């Protein structure tokens, strides 16, 4: 039987949805939103396992014939994945599956990860199913960008929002999975409270080191003025396409987490800091910039995240951002970042072995 799906930090939301199902008031269509890697698909699949009573099914949830799942690596979801009569390498279409009688005699559940990948024709076809859902079916759409979906789809789904998970909770979960404590703490911090991203960082060789080095490159811009800001934008901006956009969002998330900690320091709340081992650069930023400027810098970073998520050009966004932060009055001071812990680069291999 397949290993159970882990829901980390969203147990209360899951319990609420399961209670709604037990009481006969669960909506036929749910839209689960939240940051990438926060656990949206894990929540949807765990709920599906409850609705289908899949724990007793041979092979577990993923082998259950009444589950339709779209969680491929495809950059877009075309109409052939939705409309009847079409079949792709991923399997039968949503509408074909939803129109059949259930195999096990209970419910039928469809889960669509990253639903913002829907093309316009596919979204139109999906809307027909949402407007006239077959009896005994639940459709769960997951997205990190609900604003990318048509308003007609949003209005026909019950909204379920997932917030980032507390970093100590993610750290404890990683350690329980066999991740070395130093690596677990850094991966949890870098994840911004997203368990899925934290586990990927912990397991992928060199991933945590690359993220920490990205923070160090950001800190090194301090004191370089306008010229240094433009040079850093040219060096740090990722490439084009979906992969570049994802990388840009990850960089901005790392930088934002440091700015947030510096603001916590400036507001005399150092106990809220996440970046352990960075006391000196955080205190230097807090002393030099003060709470007002740090709040402004954090706002600039968060705005850049929103722009990249809405498909703005990364190069222009990074240039504007870094010039605004480092290119004029109120620029952060030069600081020296602490060295990486010895042996950290080798830790992910051990984490991957422990997770198997």
């Amino acid at each position: 039987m397949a290993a159970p799906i882990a829901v980390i930090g969203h147990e209360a939301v899951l319990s609420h949805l399961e209670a709604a199902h037990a009481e006969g008031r669960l909506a036929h269509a749910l839209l689960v939103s939240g940051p990438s890697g926060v656990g949206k698909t894990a929540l949807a699949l765990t709920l599906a396992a409850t609705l289908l009573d899949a724990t007793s099914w041979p092979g577990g949830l993923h082998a259950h014939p009444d589950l339709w799942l779209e969680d491929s690596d495809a950059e877009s979801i075309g109409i052939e994945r939705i409309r009847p009569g079409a079949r792709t390498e991923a399997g039968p279409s949503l509408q074909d599956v939803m129109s059949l009688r259930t195999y096990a005699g209970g419910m039928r559940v469809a889960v669509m990860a990253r639903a913002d990948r829907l093309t316009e024709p596919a979204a139109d076809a999906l809307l027909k199913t949402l407007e006239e859902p077959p009896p005994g079916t639940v459709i769960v759409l997951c997205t990190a960008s609900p604003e990318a979906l048509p308003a007609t789809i949003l209005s026909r789904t019950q909204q379920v929002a997932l917030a980032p998970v507390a970093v100590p909770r993610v750290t404890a979960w990683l350690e329980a999975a066999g991740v070395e404590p130093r690596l677990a703490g850094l991966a949890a911090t870098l994840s911004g409270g997203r368990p899925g991203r934290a586990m990927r960082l912990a397991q992928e060789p060199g991933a945590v080191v690359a993220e920490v080095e990205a923070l160090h490159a950001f800190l090194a811009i301090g004191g370089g003025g306008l010229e240094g800001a433009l040079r850093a934008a040219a060096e740090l901006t990722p490439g084009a396409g979906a992969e570049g956009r994802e990388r840009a969002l990850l960089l901005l998330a790392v930088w934002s987490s440091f700015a947030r900690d510096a603001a916590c320091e400036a507001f005399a709340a150092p106990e809220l800091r996440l970046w352990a081992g960075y006391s000196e650069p955080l205190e230097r930023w807090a002393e030099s910039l003060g709470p007002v400027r740090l709040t402004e810098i954090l706002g600039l970073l968060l705005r850049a995240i929103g722009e990249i998520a809405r498909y703005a050009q990364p190069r222009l966004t990074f240039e504007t951002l870094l010039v605004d932060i480092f290119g004029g009055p109120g620029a952060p001071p030069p600081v020296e970042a602490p060295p990486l812990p010895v042996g950290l680069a080798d830790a992910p291999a051990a984490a991957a072995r422990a997770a198997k």
Side-chain angles (χ1 to χ4, degrees):
M1 183 174 294
I5 303 160
V7 173
I8 307 300
H10 310 301
E11 293 84 357
V13 176
L14 177 63
S15 295
H16 174 78
L17 294 172
E18 290 176 337
H21 166 62
E23 297 167 7
R25 53 183 179 82
L26 183 67
H28 73 275
L30 305 173
L31 180 70
V32 183
S33 63
S36 175
V38 80
K40 302 180 295 295
T41 304
L43 177 84
L45 291 175
T46 304
L47 177 63
T50 297
L51 301 183
L52 298 174
D53 191 22
T55 55
S56 58
W57 190 264
L61 175 65
H62 287 279
H64 201 290
D66 293 326
L67 171 71
W68 181 90
L69 174 62
E70 165 51 51
D71 192 17
S72 69
D73 293 329
E75 190 166 345
S76 63
I77 301 174
I79 192 172
E80 67 279 356
R81 196 73 175 103
I82 307 297
R83 69 183 177 187
R87 188 178 182 91
T88 67
E89 293 181 359
S93 72
L94 170 67
Q95 291 176 349
D96 276 338
V97 170
M98 291 290 105
S99 67
L100 298 173
R101 294 180 60 184
T102 60
Y103 186 91
M107 299 187 67
R108 192 177 296 279
V109 180
V111 174
M112 182 182 295
R114 303 184 306 287
D116 45 276
R117 295 177 295 151
L118 283 163
T119 62
E120 186 175 346
D124 290 341
L126 174 62
L127 182 60
K128 296 179 181 179
T129 302
L130 297 179
E131 290 175 335
E132 300 177 5
T137 62
V138 173
I139 299 174
V140 187
L141 308 177
C142 304
T143 179
S145 304
E147 69 281 355
L149 291 169
T152 48
I153 287 182
L154 298 179
S155 66
R156 287 164 176 79
T157 55
Q158 178 183 333
Q159 310 291 306
V160 180
L162 300 186
V165 181
V167 167
R169 175 76 172 89
V170 179
T171 302
W173 173 64
L174 291 175
E175 291 182 2
V179 178
E180 191 271 331
R182 294 173 304 167
L183 176 60
L186 267 176
T189 298
L190 290 166
S191 76
R194 294 171 286 171
R197 170 160 158 70
M199 183 59 80
R200 287 193 294 273
L201 283 169
Q203 292 183 349
E204 183 180 336
V208 165
V209 172
E211 299 303 313
V212 173
E213 289 176 344
L215 172 62
H216 291 185
F218 178 71
L219 298 180
I221 307 171
L226 177 60
E227 182 180 348
L230 291 173
R231 182 171 58 250
E235 294 173 351
L236 298 177
T237 301
E243 185 176 342
R245 185 168 59 254
E246 179 66 18
R247 176 63 182 164
L249 290 171
L250 295 181
L251 286 174
L252 292 169
V254 171
W255 300 347
S256 298
S257 67
F258 183 88
R260 171 223 178 256
D261 274 15
C264 289
E265 181 72 32
F267 280 105
E271 69 278 3
L272 299 179
R273 294 186 331 204
L274 301 176
W275 280 96
Y278 283 75
S279 295
E280 186 172 335
L282 286 169
E283 291 169 2
R284 183 86 172 86
W285 269 47
E287 179 183 355
S288 174
L289 300 175
V292 175
R293 176 57 177 161
L294 283 167
T295 301
E296 182 180 279
I297 289 174
L298 183 57
L300 291 171
L301 288 159
L302 295 178
R303 186 177 68 187
I305 290 175
E307 291 173 353
I308 295 294
R310 292 190 294 273
Y311 301 95
Q313 289 294 328
R315 178 61 182 270
L316 180 59
T317 301
F318 272 51
E319 283 185 353
T320 303
L321 171 70
L322 296 182
V323 166
D324 285 346
I325 294 176
F326 294 99
V335 296
E336 183 175 346
L340 288 171
V342 176
L344 184 62
D346 300 325
R353 290 193 297 271
K356 291 183 178 179

